[in-house]
Amino acid sequence: MSNLTDKNYLNCEKGLWSWLTTLDHKRIGVMYLISIVIFATLGAVFSLLLRYELFSAGKDFLTALQYNKVMTYHGAIMTFMVLVPGIPAVLGNILLPLQIGAKDVAFPRLNLLSWYCLMAGALIAMISLFTTGVDTGWTFYAPYSIGSAQSGTVFVVLGAFVMGLASILTGLNFIATIHQLRAKGMTFMKMPLFVWGLYATSIIQIVATPVVGITLLLLVAERLLGVGIFDPKLGGDPILFQHFFWFYSHPVVYLMVLPGMGVISEVVSTFSKKVIFGYKAIVYASVAIAGVGFLVWGHHMFVSGQSDWAGVLFSFITMFVGIPTAVKIFNWMTTLYKGSIEFRTPLLFALGFLFVFAIGGLTGLFLATLSTDMHFHDTYFVVSHFHYTMVGGAVMATFAGLFYWWPKICGRMYHELSGQIGFAFVFIGFNVTFFPQFILGAMGMPRRYFDYLPEFEHLHAVSTVGSTIVNIGMVIVFVTLYRAWKNGEVAGDNPWGGTTLEWQTTSPPPHENFTKEMEVSGGPYDRP
């Protein structure tokens, strides 16, 4: 067992400069974590401003234009600065080399450059806060974003482009690391499922991100130079922007969810004390979700005027995504069946993931069906489905992963009761916030409106109360983790009885991860 005074990656060097110039993947992961928590806090403040404005009908404290700007910043920050980098940048950076028995990622300097790209992109986007702002929504739909009077549009779009570069570099680094640096004896079918989730995610990052990057550059070129690409007045086609945008933005849903699914596989196996059921099926399902995700972007455009045949085809392929997803959920439930289940905080968040993601997936069927999508399109039903799938799924999985690996990351245990209280607030608050929005959407409440009819008021009020509860839960979670980092009990090297390689080194790990060369003979979840 380690002693926290022994040399490890946290105390091997001291001072801010040692962190800003570090090439250690674990330190870079910690820097990502701090940055993303700051961004998430800012995004949460904007979300609370939206919800309190919507608490009652009529204008309260925001004008319509201010509401649109706050909505844009909430969406852009949470998507490009929190959810997209999220699990891969934080948990992926810290855990990937440890789980495959490597000393670091394949390109450590490129890894540090990725973090600086995220910071630079975020800074460029934030400059727009000090100009006239942006009111286009996070989708930057043309031609409005081209002709909008808001000068900050260019800064936000360029910022998103630079942050996309960070995502591509991270994906390249992870794929090279997985191919080149696995421990002796670790074949692809002996890799932990979290690593498989990162592998599938990296493919999406490399293939899809350049498309939206070029699209955003074309948008800036059209706005600044008047080149006719998306604006009909200049001979362009606004539907072309939607094709490009959703070719990236639908797979990006899986970019957030696939690594989260990897986390769930690790947590479910460890806290049920069983070998994961259907390992190969989960692996193939991960790759299938990543592949099919590139073929379904057209279901976002059922009402855009695309042909009936295109609509039918995209509807069919979208339904197909449910098959590999259902395979994973079945395998997790089967793993839990008759297991020696230990209801610790990581497993509670994993079960929360299963609940909210199942609701998000099932409500997606309504939006994948041509006839029902006509009714629900651009209503609060879409807002709720979007948050159940992306936010609920990603947040629950992120917290499951943070609580699961926190003893490994900092060498100390969190307070169990505080963690469970945090889970209760997050889970209850999330569902109180977003479930009423399904009903609002079914009743016809359009999204992105800052005012509404009086009959929608009581559901908006409930949703606003829920948003307060979930944010209190977030504060409890982060305070619990911070207190553990500062004063928690010493964790030991393997407090959960995990079977993957990261649990075979000290907590926190040394700078070089392992004191000996690792060798693998069995499966990642084999138990003695």
Side-chain angles (χ1 to χ4, degrees):
M1 180 182 292
S2 67
N3 186 324
L4 292 181
T5 58
D6 293 345
K7 284 288 184 183
N8 58 62
Y9 81 98
L10 293 172
N11 61 16
C12 62
E13 293 180 280
K14 295 187 182 300
L16 179 61
W17 185 248
S18 73
W19 281 86
L20 295 176
T21 57
T22 185
L23 300 181
D24 188 321
H25 65 97
K26 302 177 289 299
R27 282 189 161 211
I28 293 172
V30 172
M31 291 198 297
Y32 268 117
L33 174 61
I34 296 169
S35 309
I36 289 172
V37 168
I38 294 171
F39 297 147
T41 303
L42 189 57
V45 169
F46 283 124
S47 74
L48 286 173
L49 288 174
L50 294 176
R51 286 311 326 164
Y52 288 133
E53 171 58 37
L54 292 169
F55 184 81
S56 57
K59 176 182 177 301
D60 293 318
F61 59 92
L62 293 176
T63 65
L65 181 58
Q66 288 170 336
Y67 177 89
N68 287 341
K69 290 180 180 179
V70 171
M71 177 194 66
T72 300
Y73 281 110
H74 166 66
I77 290 171
M78 295 304 283
T79 302
F80 297 110
M81 302 181 198
V82 178
L83 294 175
V84 169
I87 296 179
V90 178
L91 295 177
N93 255 309
I94 297 173
L95 274 305
L96 172 61
L98 286 166
Q99 284 207 315
I100 64 173
K103 291 183 178 179
D104 207 317
V105 294
F107 307 113
R109 286 181 172 78
L110 205 63
N111 200 20
L112 182 61
L113 178 62
S114 300
W115 182 78
Y116 277 106
C117 283
L118 179 68
M119 295 300 102
L123 182 63
I124 293 170
M126 292 296 179
I127 290 174
S128 64
L129 282 170
F130 304 101
T131 59
T132 58
V134 186
D135 66 344
T136 61
W138 73 278
T139 51
F140 311 118
Y141 266 8
Y144 182 67
S145 55
I146 298 168
S148 170
Q150 313 303 314
S151 61
T153 305
V154 172
F155 292 109
V156 176
V157 169
L158 285 176
F161 175 83
V162 176
M163 287 185 276
L165 181 60
S167 187
I168 294 170
L169 295 179
T170 299
L172 283 170
N173 217 343
F174 282 5
I175 286 183
T177 302
I178 292 168
H179 276 268
Q180 297 297 325
L181 300 181
R182 299 191 311 278
K184 185 178 180 182
M186 180 180 279
T187 63
F188 266 77
M189 282 302 169
K190 290 180 180 176
M191 293 195 310
L193 288 167
F194 180 58
V195 176
W196 268 109
L198 293 171
Y199 188 77
T201 302
S202 300
I203 294 172
I204 296 174
Q205 287 174 310
I206 292 172
V207 176
T209 310
V211 176
V212 77
I214 293 169
T215 305
L216 295 177
L217 279 186
L218 291 174
L219 195 70
V220 172
E222 185 156 13
R223 185 180 171 95
L224 297 180
L225 305 176
V227 182
I229 301 170
F230 304 123
D231 189 346
K233 288 189 297 186
L234 300 173
D237 183 358
I239 302 300
L240 181 63
F241 178 87
Q242 292 193 35
H243 279 291
F244 286 158
F245 183 83
W246 288 114
F247 181 81
Y248 163 79
S249 294
H250 191 82
V252 86
V253 173
Y254 307 116
L255 192 153
M256 304 170 197
V257 169
L258 278 170
M261 290 176 163
V263 171
I264 302 306
S265 296
E266 304 292 334
V267 171
V268 165
S269 175
T270 297
F271 289 96
S272 62
K273 301 288 187 291
K274 285 178 65 181
V275 177
I276 194 86
F277 179 84
Y279 170 88
K280 288 186 178 179
I282 295 178
V283 169
Y284 294 139
S286 298
V287 178
I289 290 171
V292 177
F294 285 108
L295 307 176
V296 300
W297 78 92
H299 75 239
H300 292 274
M301 302 166 60
F302 284 157
V303 299
S304 69
Q306 67 184 5
S307 74
D308 292 342
W309 283 110
V312 170
L313 180 62
F314 281 120
S315 176
F316 175 78
I317 300 174
T318 302
M319 298 282 187
F320 186 76
V321 177
I323 297 174
T325 305
V327 167
K328 284 180 173 249
I329 292 176
F330 174 80
N331 286 356
W332 292 326
M333 299 301 290
T334 309
T335 303
L336 289 167
Y337 180 65
K338 289 189 175 180
S340 300
I341 298 175
E342 194 177 359
F343 287 99
R344 304 296 289 259
T345 303
L347 184 62
L348 293 178
F349 275 108
L351 296 176
F353 171 91
L354 291 178
F355 182 84
V356 300
F357 192 74
I359 291 178
L362 290 172
T363 52
L365 296 177
F366 292 91
L367 302 176
T369 305
L370 284 164
S371 55
T372 49
D373 182 73
M374 297 296 170
H375 177 67
F376 291 126
H377 188 83
D378 260 348
T379 69
Y380 261 75
F381 191 94
V382 177
V383 176
S384 187
H385 162 73
F386 178 89
H387 281 82
Y388 263 93
T389 307
M390 291 174 64
V391 181
V395 167
M396 294 288 176
T398 300
F399 286 164
L402 282 176
F403 277 102
Y404 178 55
W405 281 303
W406 204 247
K408 181 57 60 180
I409 293 170
C410 66
R412 295 183 182 275
M413 291 297 293
Y414 61 87
H415 188 266
E416 184 61 38
L417 180 60
S418 299
Q420 294 183 2
I421 292 173
F423 163 75
F425 270 81
V426 170
F427 182 77
I428 294 170
F430 180 85
N431 285 286
V432 172
T433 302
F434 293 106
F435 199 83
Q437 295 181 13
F438 282 127
I439 304 170
L440 282 169
M443 292 169 67
M445 171 76 204
R447 64 174 176 167
R448 297 183 172 180
Y449 279 36
F450 104 112
D451 196 9
Y452 52 80
L453 298 173
E455 53 261 42
F456 298 134
E457 188 170 79
H458 63 290
L459 287 172
H460 270 298
V462 172
S463 185
T464 302
V465 171
S467 70
T468 305
I469 296 172
V470 73
N471 278 285
I472 292 172
M474 299 276 190
V475 172
I476 295 172
V477 165
F478 286 118
V479 168
T480 301
L481 294 175
Y482 176 75
R483 289 182 63 187
W485 185 291
K486 298 296 289 184
N487 303 308
E489 294 180 7
V490 175
D493 296 340
N494 190 3
W496 311 127
T499 57
T500 42
L501 288 184
E502 75 272 23
W503 300 110
Q504 296 184 28
T505 187
T506 56
S507 301
H511 171 69
E512 62 276 13
N513 289 346
F514 302 95
T515 54
K516 62 180 181 181
E517 186 177 354
M518 303 304 292
E519 185 170 350
V520 174
S521 57
Y525 306 106
D526 289 350
R527 292 184 173 276

